Amino acid sequence: IYYVLYSFSEIVERARREGRPAVLTNYLLELAKSVNHFYHENPVAQEGDEQLAKARAALLWSSRACLEKGLDI
């Protein structure tokens, strides 16, 4: 998920530059799929290691913010 999130600004700029909003929507769909897969493979609330649980929660929170921002554009 981290690498997908990292490219958000570049994707937004590319979609704007090329005049192709589908670039952004495809990215958001891919991000949503990545988040879904991550969530099912990596427990957050059930994680015994508190630091790891917090890191996973932060990653999910960042993903949520990115999806929200992308949908708002």
Side-chain angles (χ1 to χ4, degrees):
I1 296 175
Y2 174 78
Y3 296 109
V4 178
L5 287 171
Y6 184 76
S7 63
F8 178 73
S9 296
E10 177 184 319
I11 293 295
V12 170
E13 176 56 28
R14 182 174 151 214
R16 185 202 61 76
R17 184 178 64 248
E18 295 177 7
R20 296 177 46 218
V23 171
L24 178 59
T25 56
N26 289 334
Y27 166 83
L28 294 173
L29 179 59
E30 194 60 38
L31 176 57
K33 288 178 182 179
S34 296
V35 169
N36 186 50
H37 179 75
F38 177 83
Y39 185 77
H40 286 288
E41 296 293 320
N42 300 283
V44 177
Q46 299 85 5
E47 178 58 53
D49 182 342
E50 187 178 338
Q51 289 296 98
L52 184 55
K54 285 181 179 181
R56 289 177 178 171
L59 189 57
L60 291 172
W61 186 260
S62 295
S63 299
R64 178 199 152 283
C66 185
L67 285 165
E68 185 176 307
K69 186 173 186 176
L71 290 171
D72 196 40
I73 290 178

